[in-house]
Amino acid sequence: MNENGYLQQVAALAGLQYYPNQGPWGRKSGSVMGACDNYVAAIGFMRERQGARIAILLRFKKLEQTDAVTAMLKGARIKKGKFGAVGNDFLRWEWKYSFTKPNPEEVAKLVEDLRAAIKPVTMGFDGRCEHCASASTPSLTLMNGLPTYICAGCQEKVRQELNQAAVNYEAITPNYPNGLALGIAAAALGGLAWGLVAYAINYIFLYGAILIGYFVAAGVLKGTGKVTRFGQIIIPILTVASVLFGDAIFFTLIVMKGEHVRFSGKLLNVIVLHLWEIERKGNGVASLIFALIGAGYAVYSARKPKFQAVFQPLGSPNT
């Protein structure tokens, strides 16, 4: 069964409606969405490197603290799927699968179980705008794909606030020297950690390169104060350099252990000068591939923020 037919079944069983091409996850198959017992629900597919999964989003009135929601979910001991994330006005639950999609009846029941679990510590919506809490807003509107109760006046206010935020962001003067300094520091620390961990477990792993890319991107962006072309160029360069530096640390430690010599700058310099030759004979291809993947993730992390809100009414349900 394709995603569209599957979601139609889930919608019928959960007492909700199916909307193709709409929803929080931006997939053509769309999402199952609607209000049930004053809670807003959205169900759809997520596909990432970790695999395919069914995502369930439940929204409620904004809370000051989310600890009670987490505690109630733990106490409920729901066995299907697993906790994804919780915020002050939402809960996300994910059900990962490999080949066969979860039974639609079980997905519909899971939505009900989740709502029942959090109901004692949350409140559903009351037909008024979430933002101003005064205007009557009985219909859901998608704000950047997220089903929400927001009146026309607050929609305009959100647009104005985001436009002003975009103007303020463009007015920031980037601090390139500070960004470069923090980026180099993050790359040096990341490379050192990469080398030490690889030596300790005698294994290199992809997520290490991705973490390095993340920290390098965070350092450069924190230093410059905004996303710039300079940052988007220097971040992947520093990420690759960090992973290669980590390999140099790793090989230096190997030589120290095998030759029973102490660490010295001269030894490290010799390893660096012959690093490419050593990489070709060892596991260097994997390191370079991981470095490039980490650099790609770093560039993805360094995207310019989008200061826009797209409001869209829910389309006609697919019957």
Side-chain angles (χ1 to χ4, degrees):
M1 183 187 305
N2 62 24
E3 292 184 1
N4 302 67
Y6 179 86
L7 291 176
Q8 284 180 328
Q9 285 196 17
V10 172
L13 292 165
L16 301 170
Q17 293 177 312
Y18 169 51
Y19 298 90
N21 300 309
Q22 291 186 321
W25 297 285
R27 295 185 60 82
K28 290 183 178 180
S29 58
S31 303
V32 173
M33 292 182 286
C36 188
D37 196 20
N38 297 324
Y39 287 79
V40 175
I43 309 165
F45 287 93
M46 295 176 62
R47 294 188 182 275
E48 300 173 345
R49 287 191 302 271
Q50 294 82 358
R53 63 193 69 191
I54 298 290
I56 297 173
L57 184 73
L58 283 179
R59 299 196 61 247
F60 40 81
K61 274 192 174 183
K62 190 169 292 186
L63 302 171
E64 293 295 331
Q65 300 290 335
T66 61
D67 296 343
V69 176
T70 305
M72 292 299 290
L73 290 170
K74 288 182 179 179
R77 297 182 179 180
I78 297 173
K79 296 181 180 179
K80 302 295 184 180
K82 67 176 184 178
F83 173 81
V86 65
N88 58 6
D89 64 354
F90 77 92
L91 159 70
R92 191 180 76 245
W93 199 265
E94 300 173 0
W95 191 337
K96 186 177 180 180
Y97 65 93
S98 297
F99 300 104
T100 304
K101 301 178 183 68
N103 189 296
E105 288 84 357
E106 292 182 328
V107 172
K109 184 178 184 303
L110 176 57
V111 175
E112 177 59 34
D113 290 343
L114 290 170
R115 187 170 60 246
I118 67 174
K119 192 171 182 178
V121 294
T122 60
M123 292 181 62
F125 297 104
D126 55 7
R128 292 182 293 177
C129 174
E130 298 178 37
H131 292 251
C132 65
S134 59
S136 176
T137 313
S139 300
L140 285 167
T141 298
L142 296 179
M143 184 172 72
N144 293 338
L146 182 70
T148 182
Y149 290 105
I150 181 169
C151 66
C154 287
Q155 290 180 33
E156 184 58 31
K157 184 178 179 181
V158 168
R159 290 192 186 96
Q160 292 176 0
E161 290 174 349
L162 290 174
N163 288 339
Q164 186 59 51
V167 171
N168 294 341
Y169 187 83
E170 291 299 329
I172 296 174
T173 302
N175 189 332
Y176 294 120
N178 197 34
L180 181 61
L182 290 181
I184 291 174
L189 291 174
L192 180 61
W194 170 277
L196 292 176
V197 172
Y199 177 76
I201 65 177
N202 196 32
Y203 180 75
I204 61 173
F205 52 100
L206 172 60
Y207 290 113
I210 292 176
L211 284 173
I212 288 175
Y214 173 82
F215 284 116
V216 169
V220 172
L221 295 182
K222 181 177 178 61
T224 56
K226 64 185 294 187
V227 175
T228 63
R229 184 64 62 190
F230 166 82
Q232 292 174 329
I233 293 173
I234 199 66
I235 286 171
I237 293 174
L238 289 177
T239 300
V240 173
S242 178
V243 172
L244 295 179
F245 174 64
D247 279 0
I249 295 294
F250 170 73
F251 292 127
T252 299
L253 292 173
I254 293 294
V255 171
M256 289 169 57
K257 181 179 180 180
E259 301 297 328
H260 303 288
V261 296
R262 294 182 179 181
F263 175 82
S264 67
K266 183 177 180 180
L267 174 61
L268 178 60
N269 186 54
V270 170
I271 296 295
V272 170
L273 290 175
H274 295 84
L275 183 60
W276 179 241
E277 181 181 349
I278 298 172
E279 294 277 25
R280 286 191 300 170
K281 295 180 180 179
N283 204 23
V285 174
S287 289
L288 185 58
I289 292 173
F290 286 179
L292 292 174
I293 293 174
Y297 178 81
V299 172
Y300 178 79
S301 300
R303 303 186 314 279
K304 185 177 180 179
K306 293 182 179 180
F307 298 99
Q308 65 177 358
V310 177
F311 296 99
Q312 182 185 19
L314 286 175
S316 299
N318 185 344
T319 57

